[in-house]
Amino acid sequence: QVQLVESGGGLVQPGGSLRLSCAASGTISSINAMGWYRQAPGKERELVARITHGGITNYASPVKGRVIISRDNAKNTVYLQMNSLKPEDTAVYYCSVGKWTGTYYRWDYWGQGTQVTVSS
């Protein structure tokens, strides 16, 4: 079983930065990826970024170039550095742990979410 606790959300002005953190307790193996998703009001949850145990990253197009995902495997922690934030980045951000099935990542574990609001 894996438990995830996010932190670092808040209110920021357009153009500002935020760093989200997610600490995982439990067993995170080398087949697990960690990722950040977000869900805005009235919209479906979407992937923001993910990172494999070996450090391979993928970013969603809307955030590419503005967001950096990183992880500390020793601490079972994943980070999301968000820069040049826009109002459309406003959402609840969720941390997740995915398990490689051989074909795709199955995102089995989720944090409680942290609110990010970008507004002047």
Side-chain angles (χ1 to χ4, degrees):
Q1 192 73 6
V2 175
Q3 292 184 327
L4 304 169
V5 178
E6 301 107 332
S7 61
L11 173 65
V12 63
Q13 293 186 344
S17 297
L18 277 178
R19 189 191 194 211
L20 307 183
S21 299
C22 173
S25 61
T27 302
I28 308 294
S29 75
S30 61
I31 64 171
N32 288 134
M34 299 185 78
W36 288 95
Y37 281 73
R38 68 184 182 185
Q39 187 167 19
K43 294 188 176 181
E44 293 187 353
R45 191 173 297 189
E46 62 178 3
L47 176 69
V48 177
R50 71 181 189 193
I51 183 168
T52 67
H53 191 274
I56 298 172
T57 57
N58 294 99
Y59 296 94
S61 296
V63 303
K64 198 171 293 185
R66 301 187 295 118
V67 164
I68 299 173
I69 188 170
S70 60
R71 66 188 283 177
D72 184 333
N73 291 331
K75 296 181 179 180
N76 280 346
T77 300
V78 64
Y79 306 95
L80 189 70
Q81 176 67 43
M82 301 189 292
N83 304 314
S84 302
L85 283 162
K86 305 175 181 180
E88 51 263 44
D89 293 317
T90 296
V92 177
Y93 284 70
Y94 297 91
C95 173
S96 183
V97 170
K99 180 179 179 179
W100 182 247
T101 65
T103 307
Y104 61 93
Y105 279 106
R106 187 180 69 235
W107 301 93
D108 289 333
Y109 302 103
W110 296 88
Q112 80 286 355
T114 185
Q115 177 71 46
V116 171
T117 302
V118 184
S119 175
S120 55

